[in-house]
Amino acid sequence: AWYLLLAGFLFVLPGWALLALLWPDWDALAWGERLGLAGGMSLALYPLLFLWTEMIGLHLGALYAWLPALAGLGVILWRYIAGCRACPATKGSVEGSKVEGHRSEFISRILHPVLHIAFHDITLLLILVLIFLTRFWVIRSLDVPMWGDSVQHTMIAQLMLDHGGLFKSWEPYAPYNSLTVQFGFPSFVALFAWLTGLGSVKAALIVGQIVNELAVLALYPLAVHIANGNRWAGIGAVLVAGLLSPIPAFYVNWGRYAQLAGQAILPVALWLVWEALEGGRRRTNDRRSTMDDRSPVTRRPSSGWIIITIAALALAGMMLTYYRMPFYYATFVLTLLVGWGLPGWRRDGRVWVCKLGILLAVAVLAGLFFLPWGLRLVGSHLAGAVKAGVTSGAPVDAVQADYQAWCSLFEYMPETLVIVALAGLAWSLARKRWMVAALGLWVALLSAVIAGGLIHLPGANMMQTFAILIALYIPVGLVVGWMIAEIAGPGNGKMQQSLVAVAVFVIAVLGALGQRNNAVPATFAMVTRPDNRAMVWIRENTPENARFLVEGFLIYNGASIVGSDAGWWIPLLAHRQNTMPPQYAILNEVPIQPDYTPGMVALVKKLETIPLDSPQGVELLCGEGITHIYIGQGQGKVGFGVAQLFSPDELLDSQDYSLLYHQDRVYVFALKAGICP
């Protein structure tokens, strides 16, 4: 509960304050809409803050966490107080008691949402509680985030803590001298670590679950928008994504937090650009018809450029958080033009020019916000990969092989939800709800991006069907949410509303029970508590210049390597060097020694055929400057179909190695003195 309170302070207040200050009719939105928008907007702002302060040579350290949140809190309090002072005195006030009247008005403004809570509000609140409980329940026995992606995210976060902001050198954890990869999620981890005093490892574990919750909550405002203001659509979307679909909850096993963080911003960025196309005007008639408890809509003067700028900020922050997100964004915008724009604007050329101009303005402004990072990417490995896709295209065989992943659809999205979503698309066509029906087109366009590599579409070679499959909870949640809104009706019948609320809550409880075992440490945990004890021993009993050989295996057809047990975490947990750099660094960054990355890949290739207890194996380790060997509790087998690279048995029987540490299944060996020249 304490961590959630701090998460609200850090990841809700800044976005809430910005939107409350600048967005027209902010107070007319439901609290669920405001909460979802504030979370996504806050996440988008922080990477931009890190980037632009780095641009002027300013590293704020812990102030990155404190200043935006405190400023946001100040703005919110100021708005409430200013709003109360602008209100007429309460009925019971008399001359000379204006202060008391203002105080009563202030309290009533705060308590109004509580006193006028409706069925859908109670249902949403209970669902959010269940989501929070399930997300934290599954990590109760974990000390370290799971699987491979967690290594690189945590290392970047630790480097941000060490440097007080962005950095270029990965030392002392890995010998690389550039940073061009996405850094949104690591920045959230660093912020939380500064605020709480937790280390980067524990903070990464907790923030991963917080961002998971925000990714689900972010669907609420977009779903309500698609359903013309019916809040049951938002509740349905949150229910599906948070408790019925195994994704995104299952992200905790993969540590795929960069995509998760991007998806926590995506629905908010889409809502903002949609509103920008509408000019920031609330669709009062549609929305008020489903929300009898909402205060009357009051518009205040606002600039269209402010709306466009806020939409651009969200887009730029999302791009810094996950590089694939522009494809999700652009394909939705195309869907929006077909499902919402085409029926409304038809052949009115002036309207089309105006709306396309708004989209262009959002894109150009977002590009300007992103520009410092874009300049940093020039000449990088990432830029080279995009250029290679443009110049050579994608092989047909590679595209066909990638599309084979659709055969695994039901591993990521339950068959029942897929059937309900397809039925929802059919029903939306029958009802002529074109924007709902167009969500199916969104998935098709997104999938078509991969085939775009055949026609040299820039960046298409970086897209994967798997990345689409694990984001399907978004369109499925939106469609199923709309179906629930159709069942609940316009919201005038209290009995109908109460029955829907009870049914939704019962389904939510059953979903929560199904989510309680979503984490699978036996398969995905690289670091266990025996490993943690060994890391402490290594810090206390090995020299600082020790270099550990660790378990790993080849990936990407032998082009790269990854770790396969806790040895991969040694630089972070034991502060010693190892032979397995983080994957982001291997694929994207510049090594200090030009031959370092290919040398580490070649080392793993050689160890697949050369035993460590042979003269050639000892010579190989000596040539790489390796002094120690680590075999973790996972025995080098953490992953699917992974074979152990070397075993403790071959080392125990060798005269060239000394056993220094052995508890449970964790071993630490050292090359004996004098073995290496």
Side-chain angles (χ1 to χ4, degrees), residues 407-479:
C407 297
S408 305
L409 169 63
F410 297 131
E411 294 180 16
Y412 307 105
M413 183 58 58
E415 187 174 353
T416 302
L417 286 179
V418 173
I419 293 172
V420 173
L422 291 175
L425 292 176
W427 180 243
S428 67
L429 288 170
R431 291 287 309 277
K432 296 183 179 181
R433 295 299 303 272
W434 306 122
M435 190 55 217
V436 179
L439 292 171
L441 175 63
W442 182 27
V443 177
L445 289 174
L446 194 54
S447 183
V449 169
I450 298 163
L454 299 174
I455 58 172
H456 310 281
L457 180 68
N461 59 317
M462 311 295 289
M463 196 63 184
Q464 298 174 320
T465 296
F466 175 72
I468 300 172
L469 288 171
I470 62 174
L472 279 182
Y473 72 89
I474 298 176
V476 170
L478 294 174
V479 174

Side-chain angles (χ1 to χ4, degrees), residues 241-400:
L243 296 171
L244 302 185
S245 168
I247 305 294
F250 203 80
Y251 277 49
V252 67
N253 295 288
W254 301 325
R256 198 178 175 96
Y257 295 130
Q259 179 168 347
L260 180 64
Q263 289 167 184
I265 303 173
L266 175 65
V268 174
L270 298 178
W271 187 95
L272 291 170
V273 73
W274 193 348
E275 287 283 332
L277 289 173
E278 292 185 328
R281 293 189 296 271
R282 305 259 37 92
R283 292 171 293 170
T284 311
N285 292 335
D286 287 336
R287 302 178 73 85
R288 293 277 309 279
S289 67
T290 62
M291 294 171 287
D292 51 75
D293 60 321
R294 179 171 293 176
S295 303
V297 173
T298 56
R299 289 191 175 85
R300 47 193 172 88
S302 61
S303 167
W305 279 105
I306 291 178
I307 297 171
I308 290 171
T309 301
I310 294 174
L313 283 170
L315 174 56
M318 183 182 68
M319 289 192 295
L320 289 170
T321 301
Y322 190 56
Y323 289 158
R324 288 188 177 119
M325 294 322 298
F327 290 115
Y328 296 80
Y329 185 93
T331 49
F332 184 90
V333 169
L334 289 174
T335 299
L336 186 64
L337 294 177
V338 172
W340 173 75
L342 194 60
W345 308 334
R346 300 184 185 276
R347 297 181 181 179
D348 192 332
R350 289 176 299 177
V351 174
W352 279 97
V353 170
C354 175
K355 301 305 183 184
L356 293 177
I358 290 173
L359 292 176
L360 179 63
V362 171
V364 170
L365 271 178
L368 291 175
F369 292 136
F370 186 83
L371 183 60
W373 196 254
L375 295 174
R376 196 167 181 167
L377 294 178
V378 174
S380 67
H381 290 287
L382 179 64
V386 173
K387 182 179 178 181
V390 174
T391 56
S392 62
V396 175
D397 292 343
V399 173
Q400 290 177 339

Side-chain angles (χ1 to χ4, degrees), residues 51-306:
L51 175 61
W52 282 90
T53 51
E54 166 78 7
M55 184 73 177
I56 60 176
L58 189 62
H59 287 192
L60 299 178
L63 293 178
Y64 283 117
W66 288 100
L67 288 180
L70 288 175
L73 181 61
V75 167
I76 293 169
L77 291 175
W78 170 77
R79 284 190 77 248
Y80 266 106
I81 294 171
C84 292
R85 288 176 177 171
C87 293
T90 57
K91 184 176 180 180
S93 63
V94 295
E95 191 69 29
S97 61
K98 291 183 178 180
V99 173
E100 184 63 31
H102 293 327
R103 184 182 296 119
S104 300
E105 184 65 27
F106 178 72
I107 294 173
S108 68
R109 282 168 64 86
I110 293 176
L111 294 180
H112 182 271
V114 178
L115 298 176
H116 294 80
I117 197 165
F119 286 116
H120 37 63
D121 294 315
I122 297 173
T123 307
L124 176 61
L125 187 61
L126 292 174
I127 290 174
L128 290 178
V129 169
L130 289 173
I131 294 172
F132 293 152
L133 289 174
T134 56
R135 294 303 187 268
F136 279 93
W137 173 261
V138 298
I139 63 170
R140 68 195 184 281
S141 63
L142 298 176
D143 299 317
V144 178
M146 293 192 286
W147 233 23
D149 282 357
S150 298
V151 178
Q152 53 214 18
H153 296 316
T154 308
M155 187 174 290
I156 295 173
Q158 183 59 52
L159 285 162
M160 295 178 83
L161 292 171
D162 293 344
H163 291 83
L166 293 178
F167 59 91
K168 290 184 178 178
S169 173
W170 290 63
E171 292 187 311
Y173 309 107
Y176 290 86
N177 246 348
S178 66
L179 177 66
T180 58
V181 293
Q182 55 226 356
F183 63 90
F185 179 77
S187 71
F188 308 150
V189 175
L191 292 165
F192 199 75
W194 274 317
L195 189 67
T196 61
L198 294 172
S200 59
V201 176
K202 189 70 174 180
L205 180 65
I206 294 171
V207 172
Q209 297 306 84
I210 291 171
V211 172
N212 204 307
E213 297 155 6
L214 291 174
V216 173
L217 182 59
L219 293 178
Y220 185 88
L222 184 60
V224 171
H225 204 330
I226 289 174
N228 291 328
N230 192 322
R231 296 188 204 174
W232 285 107
I235 292 169
V238 171
L239 170 67
V240 169
L243 296 171
L244 302 185
S245 168
I247 305 294
F250 203 80
Y251 277 49
V252 67
N253 295 288
W254 301 325
R256 198 178 175 96
Y257 295 130
Q259 179 168 347
L260 180 64
Q263 289 167 184
I265 303 173
L266 175 65
V268 174
L270 298 178
W271 187 95
L272 291 170
V273 73
W274 193 348
E275 287 283 332
L277 289 173
E278 292 185 328
R281 293 189 296 271
R282 305 259 37 92
R283 292 171 293 170
T284 311
N285 292 335
D286 287 336
R287 302 178 73 85
R288 293 277 309 279
S289 67
T290 62
M291 294 171 287
D292 51 75
D293 60 321
R294 179 171 293 176
S295 303
V297 173
T298 56
R299 289 191 175 85
R300 47 193 172 88
S302 61
S303 167
W305 279 105
I306 291 178

